[in-house]
Amino acid sequence: MAIATKIQSCIEGSSWIRRMFEEGGRLREKFGADNVYDFTLGNPDVDPPEKFYTELRAIANSPERGIHRYMSNAGYEESRASVAAMLSSSSGLPVSAGQIVMTCGASGALNVVLKTILNPGEEVIILTPHFVEYRFYIDNHGGVPHEVWTDRTTFQLDIPAIEMAISEKTRAIIINTPNNPTGVIYPAESLAELGQMIERRERELGRQIYLISDEPYARISYDGLTVPNIFRYVTNSLIVTSHSKDLALPGERIGYIAANPLMTHVDLFMEGAIFCNRTLGFVNAPALMQRLVSKLQNESVDVESYRQKRDLLYGTLTSLGYHMVKPDGAFYLFPKSPVPDDVAFVRAAQKHNLLIVPGAGFGAPGFFRIAYCVDIKMIERSLPAWKALAVETGLVGV
Ligand code: PLP
């Protein structure tokens, strides 16, 4: 075998989104791009805010000497301070630049955190439905994912179930809010209850358990809701995030890790994270992007356009009989599959040139995911296909 057995089996087992993407290419060639409705990828279709381009031009027009050189592995002081100031104001705690590491996106941040904290065989609790990459990131660093379902009707935290899953092997819990794939935001009361439960279990087990809050969609929320700052509710907490979604910069790979200033052994954690950012081969986050995002901490993409897309799809699909939780944020819908086999449903959708991802890809068979970060005109063109699919799968009478 030419590559590692484990990687070979990972490639075979994890390729849902890629398979759908390839299928999209085939369908587009056959039917024309306008007649294929691709809802598979979480790749923002909006542009970064105007201020991003203004700042980019300002740097390009008067480049300072040395701006492309290596720097501290944690990132520029100016960028870390800017993130820290924003988090101090949302948490009410004195977050300082020393508690921030600039990273290559939230993916880089998660890998750095997991490498820093995991001993071989230690468990990380992940909440189903979950972002599929968590399993691979945990495995990258010798950890073992321990899946716990969220509430199956609301997709909110099931705190007793998380409590039951915590053992002397548990090192961390990952939450993701607003959530990919369900779109839910965990309210403050729920985070407070989670924090109390974790602290109780830490005392009982005599070990530190990290709550990792993965928040790349934090500024994409609707209906006046906001994402509560986790530092207020959980002491041993870390935020991992990026500007892939809120500033629509996924290709630029810029994000950060922030540690709660009250976390036990916070300085040791920071030393470890800076070391791991270096030795995982990231070395430091992209220099130009660090400079830019330090000026954009209070900016975001046009969230209103995402809300319109959510409302159009949610309204139409529920009126056709599809069942789903109305998303509070992010840009995904996670409806129940009208037939028990979600993969069969996805295949049926394909016949109508609708490309979606089965819930099985998120550890949640029986559901499917729609990524609506697409052109609204494509959503409008897709509506007859959704109706035909609903008729075919018995949701509405002919
Ligand atoms: N976490 C979640 C829940 C995501 O949906 C994504 C990307 O889709 C990421 C992390 C990684 O984002 P990035 O590495 O681009 O910041």
Side-chain angles (χ1 to χ4, degrees):
M1 199 174 277
I3 61 168
T5 320
K6 184 158 100 179
I7 301 302
Q8 175 105 34
S9 70
C10 287
I11 294 171
E12 281 155 12
S14 76
S15 52
W16 261 114
I17 294 183
R18 201 191 55 179
R19 241 180 282 166
M20 297 310 295
F21 185 71
E22 281 162 10
E23 184 60 22
R26 200 183 62 76
L27 291 177
R28 271 186 281 273
E29 212 160 89
K30 192 162 167 201
F31 297 103
D34 275 1
N35 301 313
V36 177
Y37 320 113
D38 189 345
F39 293 98
T40 53
L41 288 184
N43 202 4
D45 73 313
V46 298
D47 290 317
E50 194 44 45
K51 190 159 181 230
F52 172 80
Y53 294 105
T54 315
E55 298 293 346
L56 181 60
R57 277 190 290 269
I59 296 177
N61 288 337
S62 51
E64 283 166 33
R65 254 182 81 72
I67 59 169
H68 304 298
R69 293 180 188 158
Y70 288 124
M71 71 201 72
S72 150
N73 299 118
Y76 289 122
E77 190 65 21
E78 163 206 353
S79 313
R80 300 166 75 200
S82 155
V83 168
M86 184 272 294
L87 289 175
S88 297
S89 115
S90 61
S91 67
L93 293 173
V95 184
S96 73
Q99 282 122 26
I100 310 294
V101 184
M102 303 304 291
T103 62
C104 294
S107 309
L110 278 159
N111 274 280
V112 168
V113 166
L114 293 167
K115 175 120 188 128
T116 308
I117 62 177
L118 286 177
N119 290 303
E122 285 183 329
E123 289 184 358
V124 180
I125 293 176
I126 55 176
L127 306 181
T128 305
H130 53 76
F131 180 51
V132 68
E133 306 296 69
Y134 290 155
R135 294 185 156 278
F136 301 117
Y137 298 164
I138 294 165
D139 180 71
N140 281 346
H141 308 293
V144 180
H146 185 143
E147 240 182 279
V148 175
W149 262 87
T150 50
D151 182 291
R152 284 174 198 255
T153 16
T154 61
F155 297 127
Q156 288 291 335
L157 299 176
D158 182 346
I159 295 172
I162 301 172
E163 177 159 16
M164 290 244 299
I166 294 177
S167 72
E168 61 290 334
K169 288 197 194 139
T170 309
R171 172 56 75 199
I173 302 166
I174 302 179
I175 62 168
N176 167 222
T177 176
N179 190 269
N180 172 11
T182 65
V184 305
I185 290 177
Y186 304 133
E189 309 80 68
S190 193
L191 298 176
E193 202 186 318
L194 179 70
Q196 283 157 18
M197 182 277 282
I198 294 174
E199 278 169 29
R200 187 172 66 247
R201 293 298 280 145
E202 286 181 311
R203 277 196 304 276
E204 285 165 8
L205 294 165
R207 66 189 268 120
Q208 183 164 349
I209 297 170
Y210 294 87
L211 193 274
I212 304 168
S213 187
D214 178 24
E215 307 182 354
Y217 304 93
R219 291 186 214 165
I220 303 177
S221 62
Y222 313 119
D223 311 324
L225 288 172
T226 51
V227 175
N229 187 304
I230 193 71
F231 291 171
R232 288 178 185 265
Y233 306 102
V234 188
T235 310
N236 288 328
S237 58
L238 298 161
I239 294 173
V240 293
T241 190
S242 74
H243 297 295
S244 293
K245 318 287 173 166
D246 60 18
L247 298 177
L249 298 171
E252 303 296 350
R253 314 308 306 135
I254 185 68
Y256 59 85
I257 300 164
N260 189 325
L262 305 180
M263 191 169 85
T264 311
H265 306 306
V266 65
D267 293 340
L268 185 58
F269 171 84
M270 293 310 299
E271 260 185 74
I274 294 165
F275 173 83
C276 292
N277 202 33
R278 182 184 110 210
T279 55
L280 278 172
F282 297 121
V283 182
N284 55 249
L288 183 57
M289 287 302 129
Q290 286 196 50
R291 288 184 192 279
L292 289 168
V293 301
S294 68
K295 304 208 162 55
L296 299 166
Q297 283 308 305
N298 296 312
E299 297 286 321
S300 88
V301 291
D302 175 17
V303 175
E304 177 56 19
S305 76
Y306 283 135
R307 190 196 56 76
Q308 282 170 8
K309 293 170 194 180
R310 175 200 67 163
D311 288 352
L312 175 59
L313 262 179
Y314 175 82
T316 310
L317 295 190
T318 48
S319 74
L320 288 171
Y322 293 94
H323 287 285
M324 73 206 80
V325 172
K326 189 172 188 183
D328 303 319
F331 38 58
Y332 306 103
L333 288 161
F334 202 61
K336 216 167 160 30
S337 167
V339 296
D341 180 350
D342 51 319
V343 174
F345 178 73
V346 166
R347 295 259 176 261
Q350 236 166 283
K351 297 211 184 83
H352 296 271
N353 291 350
L354 277 172
L355 298 172
I356 48 183
V357 183
F362 304 88
F367 295 87
F368 64 97
R369 189 190 78 169
I370 300 170
Y372 59 82
C373 47
V374 294
D375 188 346
I376 195 153
K377 294 201 184 74
M378 189 196 90
I379 299 180
E380 285 161 357
R381 283 197 307 275
S382 76
L383 298 179
W386 285 110
K387 171 137 196 226
L389 183 62
V391 171
E392 186 184 312
T393 49
L395 283 177
V396 286
V398 189

